[in-house]
Amino acid sequence: MTPDRSAASAIAGAGLRGSSRTRQLLADYVELTKPKVQSLLLLTTIAAMYIAGDPSPGLVALTCLGGYLSAGGAGAVNHWFDRDIDALMARTANRPIPAGRIPPRAALTFGCTLAALSLIELSLTVNPLAAALSFSGFLGYVFVYTVWLKRRTPQNIVIGGAAGAVPPLVGWAATTGSVGGTAVILFFIVFFWTPPHFWALSLLMKDEYRKVGVPMLPVVRGEGETRRQILLYSILLYAVTQLPFCAGAMGIAYLLASLALGVGFIALAWVLYRRADRRSALRVYLYSLAYLALLFCAMVVDVHV
């Protein structure tokens, strides 16, 4: 190979390596925002907007942008705060901070910047109430759940789960400029959905949580009590999901959907209660994801169709 060709090959190789590093860095910063978790949060936001009224596509897009920035900022700060225990758990050891791909200070700055941008963007393009509610979700997830509760009490996800129930309030406020009674019911549906959803996952990850000393329910009170709580909360969740129909906000289409989905959730929780196996826990966890999405979609269909 001639010297010119060798130099050209070296330059091309360096360019490819640089491009690969850039893509990896971008992927790592996106991972800090927890995009998988965000998808369900945004779905409840969008659904609440269409339950509340008939928002324009532009308003929906601007609200989702602000919501993503806020929740993404909270996720990044969570990555920063939990970097010590993340490094010790197999499931999280390859996250950007414990793996050494992003410095802790950069992740913290990134998270706080996203939260500030969300507050500004929602205030200027949507309305101040939606901005304030979204920022309250950021504060709740970071300070109430991550910093205060997660490492102190098995009720961490029960109380801290309120932060994840804020998106429907944001969506409602974005559409109407206020928070009505139906919006509060949507908040409580997500609030009571969170514990059985997360506890099913914690049954699968209990050994990891035990290793790092995080007092999740299966670690502190055992698997049997966790399965019992999942069943109790699935029944309580079913009762809460009947409130939109009882309050006159939803019709028969929603009633039938909530009945079918709720019975399915309770049935799977009952199977998990009777069978102490990972397969049953995984089924409850996966079903809970589909459950919330389908329930909110059923509300939109009921209101508009």
Side-chain angles (χ1 to χ4, degrees), residues 38-109:
Q38 291 256 31
S39 60
L40 202 54
L41 298 179
L42 292 177
L43 186 147
T44 61
T45 302
I46 296 170
M49 295 183 75
Y50 282 103
I51 295 167
D54 190 19
S56 67
L59 180 61
V60 173
L62 291 170
T63 304
C64 287
L65 173 60
Y68 190 96
L69 291 173
S70 180
V77 176
N78 176 267
H79 274 266
W80 167 79
F81 189 81
D82 281 348
R83 64 191 184 279
D84 56 337
I85 60 176
D86 282 349
L88 302 176
M89 296 192 293
R91 181 175 66 93
T92 56
N94 196 45
R95 284 178 172 176
I97 300 177
R101 298 191 300 273
I102 292 182
R105 181 176 295 180
L108 177 61
T109 302

Side-chain angles (χ1 to χ4, degrees), residues 20 65 69 103 107 112 125 133 136 151 170 180 194 199 245 265 297:
S20 177
L65 173 60
L69 291 173
C112 294
T125 66
L133 288 168
S136 74
R151 306 192 191 195
V170 175
T194 302
W199 285 334
F245 176 79
F265 205 141
C297 287

Side-chain angles (χ1 to χ4, degrees), residues 112-178:
C112 294
T113 301
L114 291 185
L117 289 174
S118 169
L119 188 60
I120 295 170
E121 187 267 339
L122 288 174
S123 296
L124 295 178
T125 66
V126 182
N127 61 59
L129 178 59
L133 288 168
S134 183
F135 191 61
S136 74
F138 170 84
L139 295 176
Y141 187 78
V142 169
F143 293 104
V144 178
Y145 172 69
T146 301
V147 176
W148 179 33
L149 296 173
K150 183 175 180 179
R151 306 192 191 195
R152 287 179 171 83
T153 170
Q155 294 299 307
N156 46 23
I157 199 62
V158 177
I159 303 170
V166 168
L169 298 180
V170 175
W172 195 281
T175 301
T176 67
S178 62

